[in-house]
Amino acid sequence: MKVLFLTDSLGLPRIFPEDEILYLEETYSQIVKNNLKNFDFFQITLTGELCDKIINQARGYLVNWRPDFIIVGIGINDARPPSLLIKLQENKFFKYILKIKIIKKIIEKLQKNFKKINLSTTSLNEFEKRANQLKNSFKDSKIIWLEIVCDNKYENTRPGVIYWKSKFNEKLKSIFGNDFLQLSGLFTNKKVFNSDNLHYNKFGHKIVSEEILKKINSK
């Protein structure tokens, strides 16, 4: 059996901050790998990238490998709106100014009220197109797409992300049906994200890996 993982940074270990370090063997892909000894694995992970680039890597190089399972953990970068706050933090001057809490609060309020910024980074139609391209390119593979999730507090950094991830998940559910792996219900009242409200902590990876293994072992 062959398993292909397609992930963004949510599938990677973390080396910072110090109290949130996550080791490679604690990531969900490695946990799955360690529990399926007789399987072959390959992983494509591109940090900060959108679905088109990651999916095109798989379609461009691995179609003939014919994986039995494709585990997809991407989409949050597409669903979240651009961030005025993060853009300003890339500037040395504003990065210093934004250390002043009141200034940071003002910027957060401004971007919440800035309607244009509430558009997803990738359009919903384009995202649907890319998901279907993956499905059509790997017709013999079982594609398990992980629900796009983040902590509700991530809305403060990316206003509109809660709305758009819901819309994107609805589209994924319609495409992949029972192979759309729902996670939010499993995360309720549990601390599964790091302090950035986006990346999984050790416990989050553990839950995701357990659900992936259930899906694979049920086939």
Side-chain angles (χ1 to χ4, degrees), residues 4-8 42-46 53-59 61-62 71 74:
L4 170 63
F5 281 92
L6 304 180
T7 85
D8 51 29
F42 194 83
Q43 181 167 340
I44 296 174
T45 297
L46 300 176
K53 193 167 186 178
I54 298 173
I55 288 173
N56 283 342
Q57 287 284 312
R59 294 175 67 226
Y61 298 102
L62 295 170
I71 314 300
I74 62 177

Side-chain angles (χ1 to χ4, degrees), residues 1-7 28-45 58 62 65-73 134 138 140-146 181 208-209 211-217 219:
M1 289 284 193
K2 303 172 187 175
V3 180
L4 170 63
F5 281 92
L6 304 180
T7 85
Y28 65 77
S29 60
Q30 293 301 304
I31 296 173
V32 170
K33 181 178 180 179
N34 290 335
N35 278 273
L36 299 173
K37 299 295 186 182
N38 297 320
F39 283 55
D40 293 321
F41 290 87
F42 194 83
Q43 181 167 340
I44 296 174
T45 297
L62 295 170
W65 190 52
R66 297 181 180 178
D68 297 281
F69 296 94
I70 301 178
I71 314 300
V72 187
L134 181 68
F138 293 89
D140 296 326
S141 302
K142 180 67 67 175
I143 299 174
I144 301 170
W145 198 303
L146 309 184
L181 183 52
V208 174
S209 67
E211 294 306 308
I212 293 171
L213 285 166
K214 286 178 187 177
K215 281 284 188 183
I216 292 176
N217 290 327
K219 303 302 180 184

Side-chain angles (χ1 to χ4, degrees), residues 31-128:
I31 296 173
V32 170
K33 181 178 180 179
N34 290 335
N35 278 273
L36 299 173
K37 299 295 186 182
N38 297 320
F39 283 55
D40 293 321
F41 290 87
F42 194 83
Q43 181 167 340
I44 296 174
T45 297
L46 300 176
T47 63
E49 290 294 347
L50 304 178
C51 66
D52 59 342
K53 193 167 186 178
I54 298 173
I55 288 173
N56 283 342
Q57 287 284 312
R59 294 175 67 226
Y61 298 102
L62 295 170
V63 170
N64 290 338
W65 190 52
R66 297 181 180 178
D68 297 281
F69 296 94
I70 301 178
I71 314 300
V72 187
I74 62 177
I76 190 63
N77 295 328
D78 301 270
R80 65 187 183 184
S83 171
L84 175 62
L85 181 62
I86 290 177
K87 194 68 178 176
L88 289 175
Q89 286 174 335
E90 294 173 356
N91 180 282
K92 289 184 179 179
F93 171 75
F94 281 107
K95 185 176 182 180
Y96 174 78
I97 293 297
L98 289 170
K99 290 181 180 179
I100 303 172
K101 289 185 178 180
I102 186 64
I103 300 295
K104 185 177 180 181
K105 289 291 184 183
I106 291 171
I107 297 298
E108 288 177 348
K109 188 172 183 179
L110 281 174
Q111 72 175 8
K112 283 182 180 179
N113 295 322
F114 186 35
K115 300 302 182 185
K116 187 177 180 181
I117 211 167
N118 286 331
L119 297 173
S120 57
T121 298
T122 301
S123 74
L124 189 56
N125 287 339
E126 179 66 15
F127 185 77
E128 178 183 19

